[in-house]
Amino acid sequence: MRRKLAAGNWKMNGTLTSVTEVMTLCATHKDPGVDLLICPPATMIRTLGTATTDHAMHIGGQDCHAQASGAHTGDIAARMLADAGATHVILGHSERRADHGETSADVHAKALAAHDANLTAVICIGETLAQREAGETLDVVTAQLHDSTPDSATSDTTVIAYEPVWAIGTGKVPTLEQIGEVHAALRIALTSRFGQDGDAFRILYGGSVKGSNAAEIFAVPDVDGALVGGASLKAEDFSPIITALENA
Ligand code: 13P
């Protein structure tokens, strides 16, 4: 059985005042039936890691550099995230692929760096609206999955997040059939590459997940949780999503 994962990606949001949101989540979900992860800005990792020491809440980064150290002004190495208290790191988010020109080869190299630092890599993939309308979705996401995920990845060290670019922050969500079709294709790609362990990788859905649509999305086969943006910033919005996942 795959343990489900509710993950929040705070993107470029969150300062000291946001700690109370995470503490509220911890108090509400003391003994969660699912794994919990918040990925705040790097500036908040140590603070949140320390604040949640006694809780079943994981803290993660949103990106790391492929190199272990060096002359890369403004970048953060995977070991630095781990040193600050992170256990996970999001890699290849579509906003990084778009804003910073990250390729799947870059994401592959970052995933190796994350694994070297004992971080679980949350590898993001997803098609644009133009790609979906051109009927290329399954080709695009399986190629991104293949090229972004190292051969050495395992279900313990790697989580896959399917996030259609056109569904992120737009309020638009694919139909349940569309989500199911992609997750099924990703599962087949994982099992044909990684054998039995391919069945144990968690595949998250991300893109406009809210309390109001979470339960139906979590009922889709091979949806093992969610990567949530906007609705993860406030405990009152994220908590119903966690509860829906616990009940799925
Ligand atoms: P929204 O939940 O705000 O659509 O963002 C999804 C996302 O990009 C999570 O990584």
mmCIF file of all heavy atoms in Angstrom, residues 9 11 93 163 167-169 207-208 227-230, ligand 1:
data_model
loop_
_atom_site.group_PDB
_atom_site.id
_atom_site.type_symbol
_atom_site.label_atom_id
_atom_site.label_comp_id
_atom_site.label_asym_id
_atom_site.label_seq_id
_atom_site.Cartn_x
_atom_site.Cartn_y
_atom_site.Cartn_z
ATOM 1 N N ASN A 9 3.020 23.557 -1.471
ATOM 2 C CA ASN A 9 4.098 24.331 -2.100
ATOM 3 C C ASN A 9 3.752 25.799 -1.917
ATOM 4 O O ASN A 9 2.834 26.302 -2.564
ATOM 5 C CB ASN A 9 4.192 23.966 -3.587
ATOM 6 C CG ASN A 9 5.172 24.850 -4.339
ATOM 7 O OD1 ASN A 9 5.927 25.612 -3.739
ATOM 8 N ND2 ASN A 9 5.156 24.759 -5.666
ATOM 9 N N LYS A 11 5.503 28.320 -2.695
ATOM 10 C CA LYS A 11 6.069 29.200 -3.732
ATOM 11 C C LYS A 11 6.726 30.424 -3.053
ATOM 12 O O LYS A 11 7.342 30.264 -2.013
ATOM 13 C CB LYS A 11 4.989 29.576 -4.747
ATOM 14 C CG LYS A 11 4.267 28.311 -5.272
ATOM 15 C CD LYS A 11 3.363 28.558 -6.432
ATOM 16 C CE LYS A 11 2.713 27.223 -6.850
ATOM 17 N NZ LYS A 11 1.892 27.325 -8.035
ATOM 18 N N HIS A 93 9.492 22.083 -10.928
ATOM 19 C CA HIS A 93 8.159 22.700 -10.986
ATOM 20 C C HIS A 93 8.037 23.480 -12.292
ATOM 21 O O HIS A 93 9.013 24.077 -12.762
ATOM 22 C CB HIS A 93 7.950 23.623 -9.781
ATOM 23 C CG HIS A 93 6.531 24.059 -9.649
ATOM 24 N ND1 HIS A 93 6.001 25.053 -10.427
ATOM 25 C CD2 HIS A 93 5.525 23.597 -8.870
ATOM 26 C CE1 HIS A 93 4.711 25.199 -10.120
ATOM 27 N NE2 HIS A 93 4.409 24.327 -9.171
ATOM 28 N N GLU A 163 1.351 17.856 -12.609
ATOM 29 C CA GLU A 163 0.729 19.177 -12.511
ATOM 30 C C GLU A 163 0.543 19.759 -13.911
ATOM 31 O O GLU A 163 1.501 20.314 -14.486
ATOM 32 C CB GLU A 163 1.605 20.131 -11.692
ATOM 33 C CG GLU A 163 1.863 19.669 -10.275
ATOM 34 C CD GLU A 163 2.233 20.837 -9.365
ATOM 35 O OE1 GLU A 163 3.203 21.542 -9.648
ATOM 36 O OE2 GLU A 163 1.508 21.047 -8.391
ATOM 37 N N ALA A 167 -3.532 24.136 -15.269
ATOM 38 C CA ALA A 167 -4.410 24.000 -14.097
ATOM 39 C C ALA A 167 -3.826 24.695 -12.870
ATOM 40 O O ALA A 167 -4.491 24.795 -11.844
ATOM 41 C CB ALA A 167 -4.643 22.524 -13.790
ATOM 42 N N ILE A 168 -2.592 25.177 -12.979
ATOM 43 C CA ILE A 168 -1.907 25.752 -11.814
ATOM 44 C C ILE A 168 -2.348 27.188 -11.596
ATOM 45 O O ILE A 168 -2.164 28.047 -12.467
ATOM 46 C CB ILE A 168 -0.369 25.669 -11.988
ATOM 47 C CG1 ILE A 168 0.071 24.206 -11.968
ATOM 48 C CG2 ILE A 168 0.339 26.476 -10.909
ATOM 49 C CD1 ILE A 168 1.539 23.998 -12.274
ATOM 50 N N GLY A 169 -2.978 27.420 -10.450
ATOM 51 C CA GLY A 169 -3.383 28.770 -10.068
ATOM 52 C C GLY A 169 -4.485 29.360 -10.923
ATOM 53 O O GLY A 169 -4.732 30.569 -10.872
ATOM 54 N N GLY A 207 -2.649 21.197 -9.072
ATOM 55 C CA GLY A 207 -3.269 22.170 -9.980
ATOM 56 C C GLY A 207 -4.678 22.472 -9.522
ATOM 57 O O GLY A 207 -5.589 21.675 -9.753
ATOM 58 N N SER A 208 -4.836 23.612 -8.796
ATOM 59 C CA SER A 208 -6.150 24.084 -8.343
ATOM 60 C C SER A 208 -6.894 23.082 -7.461
ATOM 61 O O SER A 208 -8.122 22.991 -7.521
ATOM 62 C CB SER A 208 -7.008 24.506 -9.550
ATOM 63 O OG SER A 208 -6.417 25.607 -10.225
ATOM 64 N N LEU A 227 -0.189 17.920 -4.553
ATOM 65 C CA LEU A 227 0.760 19.012 -4.352
ATOM 66 C C LEU A 227 -0.061 20.285 -4.526
ATOM 67 O O LEU A 227 -0.567 20.568 -5.619
ATOM 68 C CB LEU A 227 1.902 18.929 -5.380
ATOM 69 C CG LEU A 227 3.005 19.985 -5.252
ATOM 70 C CD1 LEU A 227 3.618 20.009 -3.864
ATOM 71 C CD2 LEU A 227 4.107 19.732 -6.286
ATOM 72 N N VAL A 228 -0.204 21.006 -3.434
ATOM 73 C CA VAL A 228 -1.171 22.100 -3.367
ATOM 74 C C VAL A 228 -0.445 23.432 -3.259
ATOM 75 O O VAL A 228 0.464 23.581 -2.428
ATOM 76 C CB VAL A 228 -2.090 21.913 -2.126
ATOM 77 C CG1 VAL A 228 -3.125 23.022 -2.059
ATOM 78 C CG2 VAL A 228 -2.744 20.540 -2.158
ATOM 79 N N GLY A 229 -0.830 24.394 -4.089
ATOM 80 C CA GLY A 229 -0.225 25.721 -4.033
ATOM 81 C C GLY A 229 -1.036 26.647 -3.148
ATOM 82 O O GLY A 229 -0.955 26.604 -1.920
ATOM 83 N N GLY A 230 -1.861 27.465 -3.758
ATOM 84 C CA GLY A 230 -2.596 28.514 -3.053
ATOM 85 C C GLY A 230 -3.348 28.033 -1.820
ATOM 86 O O GLY A 230 -3.340 28.697 -0.770
HETATM 87 P P1 13P B 1 -2.316 25.825 -7.136
HETATM 88 O O1 13P B 1 -2.798 24.785 -6.133
HETATM 89 O O2 13P B 1 -2.265 27.207 -6.578
HETATM 90 O O3 13P B 1 -3.032 25.693 -8.435
HETATM 91 O O4 13P B 1 -0.763 25.463 -7.429
HETATM 92 C C1 13P B 1 -0.414 24.152 -7.732
HETATM 93 C C2 13P B 1 1.051 24.051 -7.729
HETATM 94 O O5 13P B 1 1.736 24.603 -8.590
HETATM 95 C C3 13P B 1 1.695 23.278 -6.644
HETATM 96 O O6 13P B 1 3.031 23.033 -6.910
#
